[in-house]
Amino acid sequence: MDAIIECENITHYYGTTLIYENLNFEVRQGKILGLLGKNGTGKTTIINILNGYLKPRSGICRIFGEKMENLTPGVKSRIGLLLEGHIQHTYFNVQQIERYYSRFFPNWKKEAYYELLKKLKVSPTQKINTMSCGQRSQVALGLLFAQDPELLIMDDFSMGLDPGYRRLFVEYLKEFAADGTKTIFLTSHIIQDMELLIDDCIIMDYGKILLHQPTSHIIENFRRFRFSADRDSMAPDERFWHTERIGNTWETYSFATLEEVTSILSGQGAHDIREEKLSLEDAFIGLTGKY
Amino acid sequence: MYQSIIYKEWIKTGKLVILASVIFVGVIMYSFISVKQILRLNGSVNIWEAVIMKDLPLLSTLKWLPVLVAILLALAQFVPEMQNKRLKLTLHLPLPETLIMITMLGFGIAVLLFIYAVTYVVLLPGLGIWFAPEIVQLSFYASLPWFISGLLAYTLTTWICLEPVWRQRIINIAVSIACLSLFFVGTRSGGYNSFIPYLFGFTILSMLFPFYSVSRFKEGVQ
């Protein structure tokens, strides 16, 4: 499989605040990759860098082998871009915006757009700026499906959507990517939705990537362990994430097995060690911390 | 594809363009009525004398209109592009970015040139009914800086709108006001005649300014 997106040694600052240092990752063809991180970890920043709307301090990103600041029209036509908040040209009405975009893309699928909009109960002459956030999201998604791009880049697709529209969005995206030829790179701050969708996951922390793994690997192997211990602190161990005491109980997160964890923690006086399976959202909190 | 960009610009500005055209028609009619009225009340000889000897302006009602319409047109085109950074969507279209910008700017300039040209085509022969060709020519040269300033106001407003940083925008506004004020220095008719080619040259040059703002937008300057 080819790498559709490649980022090498991206370093970026806002003023003197470090956003990333030597960030490296790639997205391979046919994968749905989710970029997860707390607010301010630079999720939108990386989308802007990827699309050539932000020049990083150093490093390079390539999409379909082309440098981000000089994407040719040919490559741009292969990329569908969803901006944070489902931003579109809201002065158009439903029909006008379809007519506007249709001229730019040779494989335009008008029926895909109208198929999706049929569910919205909006008239063809309704202006987009009179629609709800959920309806606007469907217009934006319909336009992307009509474009039928090889790569979809979506910045915080769940922003402002109620659970129904979020679920609808995810289901359509899954269907869109079903044949395995489409590549999707997306960010979202609602991680429940991502669990249903993404193959791979990058978890960002301030300034770096914490983890880049298949989602299934995280769900199957990352666990929370609760235990009791009559101590005020536990010895740091790189196999444990965010060990903390809550009341009389301790909790920690780890990729280690229950046997390994028991063997490590017993030496520190821990007892009643219990293993808990995690959702992706819980795993995210375990990896990044609550604060 | 370029037609599609023009279509988008028309959707944004169509109502304003129609309104501006109606206002220009109104001002042209008012100018004719006003000239006819002063001729009727004061007599042709006195008015001809006042125009020739005392520099009585015939088209002063038009003075600020080209600038005002140009600023409104640029705002109607480019404020929506900068709201929520929609310009990213426009620049993401599968066309060379420079050509996208040229098409958008070209649309605005073409609209203004059309309105300005129609104004002159109606107004100048109309004045020729009552005044000698030399007086009509004098009025043309006296009003030309106002129309050129309209084109400059359009490019400068675009430059300001597309600038991504507010602090720099305020500097751009100050520079723009200074540039535009050059076109409105009080002087006798014909006082600008030798200066007009330079004003026109600067206006052509100013068409590059919006591209500088777009390059800053692309770099993500904050």
Side-chain angles (χ1 to χ4, degrees):
Chain A
M1 280 189 296
D2 297 327
I4 303 295
I5 296 175
E6 298 162 277
C7 282
E8 291 171 17
N9 300 318
I10 296 289
T11 298
H12 190 62
Y13 288 79
Y14 283 125
T16 54
T17 308
L18 175 72
I19 306 299
Y20 324 109
E21 190 158 28
N22 292 324
L23 188 78
N24 289 284
F25 70 91
E26 62 177 35
V27 186
R28 306 202 79 81
Q29 190 183 16
K31 290 285 181 189
I32 305 178
L33 187 137
L35 185 65
L36 315 181
K38 291 180 178 177
N39 292 338
T41 50
K43 299 186 295 294
T44 297
T45 300
I46 199 69
I47 298 243
N48 284 334
I49 290 172
L50 268 177
N51 286 289
Y53 295 123
L54 182 62
K55 196 174 178 181
R57 191 72 63 88
S58 64
I60 191 166
C61 285
R62 291 188 191 85
I63 302 186
F64 293 113
E66 287 188 3
K67 287 183 186 172
M68 71 261 184
E69 66 267 37
N70 297 314
L71 295 177
T72 58
V75 160
K76 282 183 182 173
S77 71
R78 298 164 72 189
I79 305 169
L81 177 63
L82 181 82
L83 297 179
E84 188 174 3
H86 316 102
I87 301 301
Q88 262 305 340
H89 298 284
T90 49
Y91 35 83
F92 281 125
N93 67 31
V94 169
Q95 250 173 358
Q96 288 168 336
I97 200 163
E98 188 277 326
R99 199 179 306 151
Y100 166 66
Y101 278 112
S102 65
R103 308 261 176 92
F104 293 103
F105 303 100
N107 300 322
W108 188 258
K109 293 177 176 169
K110 185 178 184 174
E111 61 288 351
Y113 173 73
Y114 283 108
E115 183 68 32
L116 208 144
L117 287 207
K118 264 199 298 196
K119 295 184 171 64
L120 292 185
K121 299 182 180 71
V122 292
S123 79
T125 54
Q126 184 168 347
K127 277 254 176 97
I128 297 168
N129 58 16
T130 64
M131 292 179 174
S132 70
C133 185
Q135 289 175 321
R136 284 203 311 273
S137 75
Q138 297 301 292
V139 170
L141 192 64
L143 291 168
L144 289 173
F145 288 171
Q147 181 191 339
D148 196 24
E150 290 168 55
L151 169 66
L152 261 181
I153 297 178
M154 314 180 95
D155 189 9
D156 208 348
F157 73 86
S158 51
M159 187 181 185
L161 299 184
D162 63 32
Y165 272 116
R166 284 208 314 267
R167 184 58 61 90
L168 195 65
F169 210 104
V170 167
E171 282 168 4
Y172 275 117
L173 277 180
K174 279 172 81 172
E175 196 182 310
F176 176 74
D179 69 358
T181 60
K182 309 289 187 191
T183 307
I184 303 179
F185 180 70
L186 50 82
T187 70
S188 172
H189 68 284
I190 299 185
I191 295 161
Q192 296 153 278
D193 302 331
M194 302 287 249
E195 193 170 336
L196 300 168
L197 184 66
I198 58 179
D199 302 316
D200 292 336
C201 154
I202 293 179
I203 296 182
M204 303 283 300
D205 200 0
Y206 297 99
K208 62 179 191 288
I209 289 177
L210 273 181
L211 193 75
H212 182 177
Q213 290 286 348
T215 312
S216 55
H217 173 80
I218 298 170
I219 303 274
E220 283 163 20
N221 298 296
F222 196 60
R223 297 277 186 271
R224 178 166 51 216
F225 297 92
R226 294 188 199 271
F227 56 93
S228 303
D230 299 325
R231 305 171 63 126
D232 290 332
S233 64
M234 302 296 286
D237 189 306
E238 63 181 15
R239 286 165 290 186
F240 296 129
W241 306 69
H242 295 101
T243 305
E244 63 178 344
R245 186 177 183 169
I246 301 162
N248 294 324
T249 309
W250 284 83
E251 70 173 33
T252 190
Y253 297 83
S254 181
F255 280 101
T257 61
L258 178 62
E259 292 72 30
E260 288 167 324
V261 169
T262 306
S263 131
I264 297 162
L265 292 179
S266 299
Q268 297 188 54
H271 51 91
D272 297 334
I273 300 170
R274 300 175 306 277
E275 181 188 36
E276 293 173 6
K277 280 191 158 190
L278 300 175
S279 65
L280 186 61
E281 185 170 81
D282 289 332
F284 172 79
I285 289 167
L287 287 161
T288 60
K290 292 170 187 154
Y291 310 107
Chain B
M1 288 195 264
Y2 295 102
Q3 288 155 318
S4 233
I5 294 175
I6 291 167
Y7 174 64
K8 172 163 76 82
E9 299 312 299
W10 175 252
I11 295 288
K12 284 189 280 187
T13 62
K15 284 178 187 162
L16 177 71
V17 172
I18 291 166
L19 180 68
S21 305
V22 169
I23 291 171
F24 264 94
V25 168
V27 169
I28 291 168
M29 286 169 66
Y30 175 80
S31 299
F32 284 146
I33 292 165
S34 163
V35 166
K36 192 156 188 207
Q37 181 76 347
I38 57 167
L39 285 170
R40 195 172 62 79
L41 293 176
N42 301 294
S44 299
V45 175
N46 290 331
I47 296 304
W48 276 51
E49 189 201 8
V51 172
I52 296 163
M53 306 304 289
K54 295 176 185 164
D55 200 28
L56 176 73
L58 291 175
L59 300 175
S60 56
T61 44
L62 273 172
K63 190 171 184 178
W64 297 104
L65 198 56
V67 167
L68 183 68
V69 166
I71 290 172
L72 290 177
L73 183 66
L75 291 175
Q77 267 187 280
F78 294 101
V79 167
E81 294 290 336
M82 293 307 280
Q83 279 175 337
N84 298 312
K85 299 188 177 174
R86 280 193 194 102
L87 187 60
K88 286 180 186 175
L89 293 171
T90 302
L91 296 178
H92 186 71
L93 293 171
L95 288 173
E97 287 164 8
T98 309
L99 293 181
I100 292 172
M101 286 310 300
I102 289 173
T103 309
M104 291 169 79
L105 288 168
F107 170 85
I109 290 168
V111 165
L112 291 176
L113 283 176
F114 177 75
I115 293 175
Y116 295 169
V118 169
T119 304
Y120 271 136
V121 164
V122 176
L123 208 52
L124 298 180
L127 289 178
I129 296 168
W130 299 296
F131 297 100
E134 289 80 2
I135 294 176
V136 175
Q137 194 182 30
L138 202 66
S139 294
F140 170 70
Y141 281 118
S143 62
L144 198 53
W146 306 335
F147 285 88
I148 299 173
S149 74
L151 296 175
L152 180 64
Y154 175 78
T155 58
L156 293 177
T157 308
T158 304
W159 175 51
I160 294 163
C161 284
L162 294 175
E163 164 57 44
V165 180
W166 261 107
R167 195 173 46 190
Q168 183 62 41
R169 249 183 216 163
I170 289 164
I171 295 168
N172 292 2
I173 290 169
V175 171
S176 300
I177 291 169
C179 290
L180 286 171
S181 66
L182 288 175
F183 290 75
F184 296 95
V185 176
T187 178
R188 289 184 61 82
S189 297
Y192 270 100
N193 284 7
S194 59
F195 199 44
I196 282 173
Y198 298 104
L199 294 179
F200 195 68
F202 180 68
T203 302
I204 300 283
L205 186 69
S206 73
M207 289 173 189
L208 297 174
F209 295 4
F211 292 91
Y212 176 65
S213 292
V214 170
S215 74
R216 283 169 56 79
F217 179 86
K218 280 276 294 176
E219 284 187 9
V221 177
Q222 292 194 338

